[in-house]
Amino acid sequence: MAAKYPLSEEELSCPVCCDIFRDPVVLSCSHSVCRTCLQQFWKTKGSQECPVCRRRSSKDIPLSNLVLKNVCEAFLESRSQRSSAGSEGVCSLHNEKLKLFCLDDQQPVCVVCHLSKSHTTHKCCPIDEAVTDCKTKLQTALEPLQKNLKVLEEAKRDYDQTAAHIKTQTQHTERQIKQEFEKLHQFLRDEEAVRIAALKEEEEQKSQMMRRKIEEMNEEISSLSDTIRNIEKEMKAEDIQFLQFYIFRVQRSPKHPEKTSGALINVAKHLSNLKFRVWEKMQEIIQYTPVTLDPNTAHPKLHLSDDLTAVENRDQRSVPDNPERFDKYLCVLGSEVFNSGTHFWDIQVGERDYWILGLIPESVKRKGDSFWNSVWSLDYDKRIGKCWIRCPGQSVHSLTPKEKLQRVRVQLDWDRGKLTFTDLLTNTHLHTITHTFTERVLPFFWNVSVYPLRILPVKTSVTVEQHS
């Protein structure tokens, strides 16, 4: 091999790309470079210099180094053959079968290689032992990869489910938006029809009045015209006859037409603050609920009403197991986040046997049951008529309401650190939890019953303030 290829691989490498020469050219300084490498070097440098000695080339198009090209091509072909022979289990140097594995160089070798200077000090073992050891190592390395693949496949299934759920949510929400706006559109159409009808009715009434006035005026005009003709005729009569007629006419006083007030359409009544008065009347069909439920936090067995104000226990739903969702207990959170001020929401608890109302920090993890240590709440068991109060860092204690609870108000004074529960039907104070709130909190609901917990709307009003 040494006789056939006196040059080493390093000597057959281009000084620019450091790879075996491809289409080498020789410069006037005798240095050789790949043609493509030289063109790129000259383009970057802006001058025709040798990449090795920086001597300027005397030729714009250097000559091909055919001898070097042939040597490089033969070297590449031989290396390819040696690699192919090695892959077939035969040593490319000694044409002996590869029976050993050099642990130091991590490569198969033949017996002659093992006795040569290159490997005589290296630790070697039989090929089959090396294969067994490598397979064991690969199997060990493969197990975490398989586990990771399983985790990734499960994560992909979750992502696929989430993507499908996003589409379902979008379609359902779009349908709800259209239904709600259709109600508003129908209200506006009905209100428009009522107001147009009132305008038409006023038009008919006042038009009838003017028709009567016009008829009366026509009769007066006709009568007066007859009188004028008679007077003109009598003025041509004899003196005595004329005087008798004159005395009679003088005694009759002519009527003067009176102006009719209120005859025009009351435009101001129909148009004055029209949008405001329609908006004011719109309150009859619009409800405002101070707290609504967040469906992305609801346990899969919980069903929320379309307006997000009621929650009940139903069959299992197919929903993504997103981090915000409770997975063990039938809980759901309000969509409003509080970190200051005073807020309240009223809940119709009705026939539910067991329910929980309260607050939970926004940052608390919702998986498992550890979140119970962070809940401020009122728990109620209708079967025994007793309540329990939860507060982080304190033991749970009980109280007994005077009446069975039907409606409960939850009132939060975040700044003063108070959470108050009130029986609305009897207007009885149940309990006030005192705590210094330091983070954002959300309304908390728990319901295992098929009867819904319902958040009640509050009365709204429109007021007008005038400023001087």
Side-chain angles (χ1 to χ4, degrees):
M1 298 293 291
K4 188 174 183 180
Y5 299 108
L7 298 177
S8 65
E9 182 173 345
E10 182 179 353
E11 292 173 311
L12 296 177
S13 297
C14 170
V16 177
C17 66
C18 299
D19 200 358
I20 302 299
F21 282 106
R22 303 282 183 178
D23 190 15
V25 295
V26 61
L27 301 174
S28 56
C29 59
S30 299
H31 289 121
S32 295
V33 188
C34 293
R35 185 182 300 276
T36 304
C37 295
L38 182 65
Q39 292 174 350
Q40 184 63 36
F41 179 81
W42 282 0
K43 183 178 180 181
T44 303
K45 193 71 176 177
S47 60
Q48 295 179 345
E49 298 179 358
C50 171
V52 179
C53 64
R54 296 295 189 269
R55 180 178 174 181
R56 187 174 181 83
S57 174
S58 60
K59 297 180 179 180
D60 295 337
I61 303 176
L63 298 175
S64 296
N65 192 336
L66 296 178
V67 175
L68 180 59
K69 180 179 180 182
N70 293 335
V71 171
C72 290
E73 289 177 351
F75 179 83
L76 291 172
E77 182 178 357
S78 175
R79 187 170 67 177
S80 175
Q81 290 175 352
R82 292 198 305 272
S83 175
S84 175
S87 64
E88 294 174 356
V90 178
C91 178
S92 60
L93 296 176
H94 308 105
N95 203 26
E96 295 285 340
K97 193 170 183 180
L98 299 171
K99 295 182 177 181
L100 301 174
F101 185 78
C102 179
L103 299 177
D104 293 330
D105 292 338
Q106 290 291 299
Q107 68 179 29
V109 294
C110 68
V111 175
V112 179
C113 290
H114 179 48
L115 296 175
S116 67
K117 292 181 180 180
S118 300
H119 298 281
T120 186
T121 59
H122 293 177
K123 186 177 180 181
C124 296
C125 69
I127 283 286
D128 55 348
E129 290 183 10
V131 169
T132 301
D133 291 342
C134 290
K135 285 185 176 180
T136 302
K137 292 178 181 179
L138 279 178
Q139 183 62 39
T140 303
L142 186 61
E143 289 177 359
L145 296 178
Q146 291 172 334
K147 291 180 180 179
N148 191 35
L149 176 61
K150 186 176 180 181
V151 170
L152 292 175
E153 288 174 344
E154 291 177 353
K156 182 182 179 299
R157 284 195 294 270
D158 290 341
Y159 288 150
D160 290 340
Q161 184 184 19
T162 300
H165 189 67
I166 289 172
K167 189 174 185 63
T168 301
Q169 279 186 309
T170 301
Q171 293 172 347
H172 177 73
T173 305
E174 180 181 357
R175 187 163 54 251
Q176 290 299 114
I177 290 173
K178 288 182 177 180
Q179 289 177 0
E180 291 301 316
F181 270 94
E182 178 55 30
K183 292 177 183 177
L184 296 176
H185 295 158
Q186 188 58 49
F187 169 83
L188 293 175
R189 287 192 292 267
D190 294 344
E191 192 65 20
E192 177 188 14
V194 168
R195 294 177 182 275
I196 294 295
L199 174 63
K200 295 296 184 181
E201 182 180 359
E202 182 181 359
E203 178 196 21
E204 181 60 25
Q205 291 174 352
K206 294 188 173 180
S207 295
Q208 286 182 1
M209 180 184 69
M210 293 310 298
R211 284 194 294 269
R212 289 195 300 270
K213 293 289 185 181
I214 292 171
E215 289 176 1
E216 293 174 358
M217 194 60 60
N218 287 334
E219 292 177 358
E220 288 291 330
I221 291 173
S222 177
S223 175
L224 185 58
S225 297
D226 291 342
T227 301
I228 291 172
R229 284 194 297 271
N230 290 335
I231 290 174
E232 290 175 344
K233 180 180 178 181
E234 293 297 332
M235 288 178 67
K236 298 177 182 179
E238 297 295 333
D239 294 343
I240 297 300
Q241 186 178 358
F242 169 75
L243 289 174
Q244 290 175 347
F245 174 80
Y246 173 76
I247 293 172
F248 174 75
R249 284 297 172 191
V250 169
Q251 292 175 350
R252 295 182 59 187
S253 56
K255 293 181 179 181
H256 295 283
E258 297 179 356
K259 298 291 184 180
T260 303
S261 61
L264 300 180
I265 295 294
N266 190 349
V267 176
K269 181 183 74 171
H270 297 287
L271 294 182
S272 178
N273 293 313
L274 176 60
K275 290 189 287 292
F276 176 82
R277 288 187 288 113
V278 172
W279 174 54
E280 189 177 31
K281 189 175 180 182
M282 193 178 289
Q283 292 180 95
E284 298 174 4
I285 66 165
I286 293 177
Q287 292 183 335
Y288 173 74
T289 308
V291 167
T292 56
L293 303 173
D294 183 357
N296 293 336
T297 66
H299 185 278
K301 285 189 176 181
L302 292 179
H303 174 77
L304 307 186
S305 60
D306 288 338
D307 61 0
L308 304 180
T309 62
V311 55
E312 60 188 82
N313 182 9
R314 281 195 188 177
D315 295 334
Q316 185 89 7
R317 298 175 297 142
S318 177
V319 293
D321 185 24
N322 49 299
E324 300 86 358
R325 192 179 306 280
F326 291 94
D327 63 347
K328 186 173 181 180
Y329 291 91
L330 302 181
C331 305
V332 63
L333 300 181
S335 58
E336 289 72 16
V337 183
F338 304 126
N339 61 356
S340 64
T342 301
H343 314 272
F344 75 89
W345 51 100
D346 300 335
I347 301 93
Q348 179 77 39
V349 295
E351 300 301 323
R352 267 68 50 196
D353 292 331
Y354 192 26
W355 46 260
I356 301 176
L357 305 173
L359 290 174
I360 190 171
E362 182 184 32
S363 60
V364 169
K365 303 297 182 184
R366 291 129 196 212
K367 305 302 182 184
D369 53 10
S370 60
F371 67 87
W372 286 114
N373 297 325
S374 304
V375 174
W376 301 272
S377 68
L378 172 72
D379 304 17
Y380 180 68
D381 191 338
K382 181 182 177 182
R383 295 165 296 184
I384 60 176
K386 185 173 288 190
C387 295
W388 288 267
I389 302 298
R390 296 176 186 266
C391 188
Q394 300 180 16
S395 59
V396 177
H397 66 277
S398 64
L399 58 92
T400 304
K402 295 180 180 179
E403 303 287 343
K404 289 185 177 181
L405 299 179
Q406 297 290 321
R407 292 186 179 184
V408 175
R409 169 168 293 180
V410 182
Q411 183 164 343
L412 168 66
D413 189 336
W414 195 95
D415 300 315
R416 295 184 179 182
K418 293 183 178 181
L419 179 63
T420 302
F421 300 95
T422 306
D423 180 355
L424 282 182
L425 289 185
T426 61
N427 197 26
T428 303
H429 171 260
L430 296 173
H431 187 79
T432 296
I433 296 175
T434 56
H435 179 83
T436 302
F437 297 107
T438 58
E439 59 179 306
R440 291 151 59 97
V441 294
L442 297 124
F444 176 85
F445 305 85
W446 185 83
N447 183 24
V448 296
S449 174
V450 294
Y451 298 104
L453 282 176
R454 188 175 302 279
I455 305 170
L456 301 175
V458 297
K459 291 183 178 180
T460 60
S461 61
V462 177
T463 59
V464 178
E465 293 184 5
Q466 291 184 328
H467 301 279
S468 58

